[in-house]
Amino acid sequence: MSASALCLEHLQAIEPFNHLPPERLEWVCDRATFLQLSKGDYLVKEGDLTTTIYIFVSGRLGITRQSEGVAMPIGQHEGPGYIGEIPVLTDEPAPVTLQAMSDCQIHAIAGADFLTLLHECRDFERVVFRLMQKRVRGLESFLRGREKMAALGTLSAGLAHELNNPAAALVRSLSEVVPAIRELEKMNLLYGQQQPDEAESAEWQRVRDAGYETILKCGADAGTVSDREDELLDWLEDYGATQAWKLAEPLALAGIDIPTLEKLVEPWRDNPTQLHDMGIRWLALSFEVMSMIQSGQHGAERIATLVKSMKSYSYMDQGAQQMVDLHQGLEDTLRLFAFKLKQGIKVERDYDATLPKLMAHGSELNQVWTNLIDNAIDAMGEKGTLTLRTCHFRGDARVEIIDTGPGIPPEIKSRIYEPFFTTKGVGKGSGLGLETVLRIVENRHHGTISVESEPGHTCFAVCLPLG
């Protein structure tokens, strides 16, 4: 017998082969093919269609799984042992990549021969399935963790994107307000030194306050403001105002018209000093400050809304079960996907306002909406129409998530909830998203989920008991 041949002693040291009778072990040895792997060589790559069982006598194999283009370590196998039963028994592509971490002596046996052993020996079969179950659970546990981290990463990226604009507006507004207020103080001091008429000062303040109200109420439409700005710019240039182009916009936003300015500047028209147009500059700068404050306020409100949505989405500071508003959960989830939706997806809502709240695991239901909406966005290639619909259905609350993507091929429709089954490329999906949805809906909430799909219309419908 050559040094590379598989012998009975090798197999008797490996569970479950130690449950086989000697004659069957000899049969396996006769059918085994020797493989020599050097450190760094690949035995199997994720996604390969393999029908081979590998018995490794010595050496160490590293196990990895692709996640977003990165090979994530899952574990190691050290000889003596065997591997490869999952794709052989499930008739699915290899779920992981196996790479030699040291020089390895490996023997390959055909999947068909392995199945023959399963059918002939009950003890062998029992141990094989027990070991496979343990391995599948380990892989599933890893993938669930990666799935949660990927979902968290997606939501975090969306939240960061949505927070960026209001935060930037808030910082910009606050940084510009201080120098503007200082400039207004200088103008007020210089104007006060002129001992102006009290009635005249009151009129300037009245116009300013009226402008404030216009700004806070968002004023006129953009077209009207633009026309008014052009008229004001012409008048300001004729009047000789310094940097007239900077003054026209804030005055137009505040709804100031030319007759109002004519009346205000009448006492100062012939003044040769900077007081000639200082009142106009004071008015325009006051309106700019108010616009800055309003912009900062809008930014702060947007940030507060996003934080509130995130807190509501996660049901922070609440018990395991709560009275859940399905519409609120859907809206919270949509807000966290806003950065994806604005790329070209139209959202349509058809909510039944009479739908009551229901007792549920709120954060888990939001995980359902997250998976279904994320899948819908991916299916449409980030361009199409996403429809959310709720209604009463046979005593249940029914939530429909509909997309206009290419649809689910009929031949795989019955398999979409299977663990590890995915239509996405290697490293793009764990195959646990819809399996998680099914588990949360059926096991945790005693509900049902169904799907109808054809090109241009895919509808996932979740029904949850109201009672």
Side-chain angles (χ1 to χ4, degrees):
M1 180 181 292
S2 67
S4 61
L6 182 63
C7 63
L8 268 65
E9 289 77 10
H10 293 148
L11 291 175
Q12 287 171 340
I14 300 172
E15 196 175 31
F17 291 92
N18 55 5
H19 291 273
L20 292 174
E23 61 272 17
R24 265 317 189 192
L25 292 179
E26 291 181 358
W27 182 79
V28 172
C29 292
D30 292 340
R31 292 171 173 270
T33 304
F34 177 69
L35 299 174
Q36 177 70 51
L37 288 187
S38 300
K39 182 179 179 180
D41 289 346
Y42 288 97
L43 178 62
V44 174
K45 289 188 177 182
E46 180 182 344
D48 286 351
L49 296 173
T50 176
T51 57
T52 304
I53 298 294
Y54 299 99
I55 300 169
F56 52 107
V57 176
S58 64
R60 191 167 75 255
L61 292 172
I63 309 169
T64 59
R65 170 97 179 189
Q66 287 287 319
S67 178
E68 301 299 326
V70 178
M72 302 298 298
I74 295 178
Q76 298 180 13
H77 272 312
E78 190 143 8
Y82 84 104
I83 200 165
E85 78 282 6
I86 294 177
V88 168
L89 295 177
T90 62
D91 200 26
E92 292 290 337
V96 295
T97 293
L98 302 174
Q99 185 178 20
M101 300 184 71
S102 68
D103 291 344
C104 299
Q105 288 191 346
I106 295 177
H107 300 269
I109 63 173
D113 291 339
F114 185 75
L115 294 176
T116 298
L117 296 174
L118 277 181
H119 297 150
E120 290 183 354
C121 181
R122 182 69 176 174
D123 289 341
F124 179 80
E125 179 187 45
R126 184 176 63 253
V127 176
V128 165
F129 279 104
R130 177 169 54 80
L131 291 174
M132 187 181 81
Q133 184 182 46
K134 182 179 178 181
R135 290 175 178 178
V136 169
R137 283 178 176 172
L139 178 59
E140 190 172 320
S141 176
F142 169 81
L143 292 178
R144 286 198 196 285
R146 292 299 306 169
E147 187 86 9
K148 289 179 180 178
M149 291 302 295
L152 181 60
T154 298
L155 296 177
S156 298
L159 187 61
H161 183 91
E162 290 300 301
L163 285 172
N164 182 64
N165 288 340
L170 183 58
V171 171
R172 183 173 59 250
S173 298
L174 292 176
S175 65
E176 293 175 352
V177 162
V178 174
I181 289 177
R182 288 176 176 172
E183 183 64 25
L184 286 174
E185 289 175 347
K186 290 179 183 179
M187 292 182 182
N188 289 336
L189 180 60
L190 182 58
Y191 181 71
Q193 291 172 348
Q194 309 304 312
Q195 297 181 346
D197 179 74
E198 187 174 332
E200 178 188 331
S201 298
E203 182 61 17
W204 280 97
Q205 291 173 356
R206 186 195 65 78
V207 173
R208 180 201 62 187
D209 292 346
Y212 283 168
E213 288 298 318
T214 301
I215 291 171
L216 293 174
K217 293 177 180 177
C218 296
D221 61 87
T224 301
V225 171
S226 179
D227 293 340
R228 185 185 297 142
E229 185 178 340
D230 292 339
E231 294 172 0
L232 287 169
L233 180 58
D234 292 339
W235 183 89
L236 290 166
E237 289 175 343
D238 290 343
Y239 181 76
T242 303
Q243 293 185 315
W245 57 274
K246 290 180 65 176
L247 308 178
E249 181 181 2
L251 292 172
L253 286 171
I256 304 300
D257 55 27
I258 292 174
T260 299
L261 290 178
E262 291 276 9
K263 181 180 178 182
L264 290 173
V265 302
E266 185 58 35
W268 308 94
R269 184 178 291 277
D270 298 325
N271 191 303
T273 69
Q274 60 180 312
L275 293 169
H276 172 71
D277 64 350
M278 191 179 73
I280 300 174
R281 288 188 283 113
W282 173 84
L283 205 59
L285 189 55
S286 296
F287 296 147
E288 278 192 42
V289 169
M290 181 55 67
S291 295
M292 293 174 196
I293 293 173
Q294 185 186 44
S295 175
Q297 182 181 1
H298 287 166
E301 289 173 350
R302 177 61 178 158
I303 291 171
T305 298
L306 289 169
V307 171
K308 182 180 178 182
S309 293
M310 194 63 183
K311 188 174 181 180
S312 174
Y313 173 89
S314 61
Y315 284 82
M316 192 183 301
D317 303 327
Q318 297 189 39
Q321 282 193 306
Q322 314 84 19
M323 292 303 295
V324 172
D325 183 337
L326 294 176
H327 300 146
Q328 184 65 48
L330 291 167
E331 290 300 312
D332 288 339
T333 306
L334 283 176
R335 288 189 190 95
L336 299 178
F337 277 111
F339 76 108
K340 278 190 170 184
L341 295 171
K342 65 178 60 172
Q343 302 301 318
I345 291 180
K346 179 183 177 183
V347 178
E348 295 184 351
R349 299 167 176 83
D350 183 10
Y351 292 159
D352 184 347
T354 67
L355 209 59
K357 293 183 178 181
L358 69 156
M359 183 63 70
H361 300 273
S363 60
E364 294 185 18
L365 278 186
N366 283 345
Q367 190 177 350
V368 170
W369 315 141
T370 298
N371 281 334
L372 293 179
I373 290 175
D374 196 26
N375 284 348
I377 293 172
D378 287 343
M380 292 185 287
E382 301 186 352
K383 187 174 183 181
T385 300
L386 174 68
T387 303
L388 305 181
R389 180 179 297 133
T390 63
C391 61
H392 289 269
F393 183 77
R394 297 176 181 173
D396 292 343
R398 180 181 172 99
V399 178
E400 297 179 359
I401 296 177
I402 306 167
D403 68 69
T404 56
I408 302 171
E411 61 270 19
I412 67 170
K413 184 178 174 182
S414 62
R415 304 189 58 200
I416 58 175
Y417 301 110
E418 291 180 11
F420 312 122
F421 180 79
T422 178
T423 58
K424 299 177 181 178
V426 172
K428 296 297 183 182
S430 67
L432 289 178
L434 288 178
E435 190 271 342
T436 298
V437 167
L438 183 69
R439 180 168 46 83
I440 291 173
V441 172
E442 292 191 350
N443 297 351
R444 298 285 284 168
H445 293 88
H446 309 292
T448 61
I449 182 169
S450 60
V451 60
E452 297 177 358
S453 185
E454 61 184 28
H457 180 91
T458 296
C459 173
F460 279 89
V462 175
C463 289
L464 301 167
L466 288 172

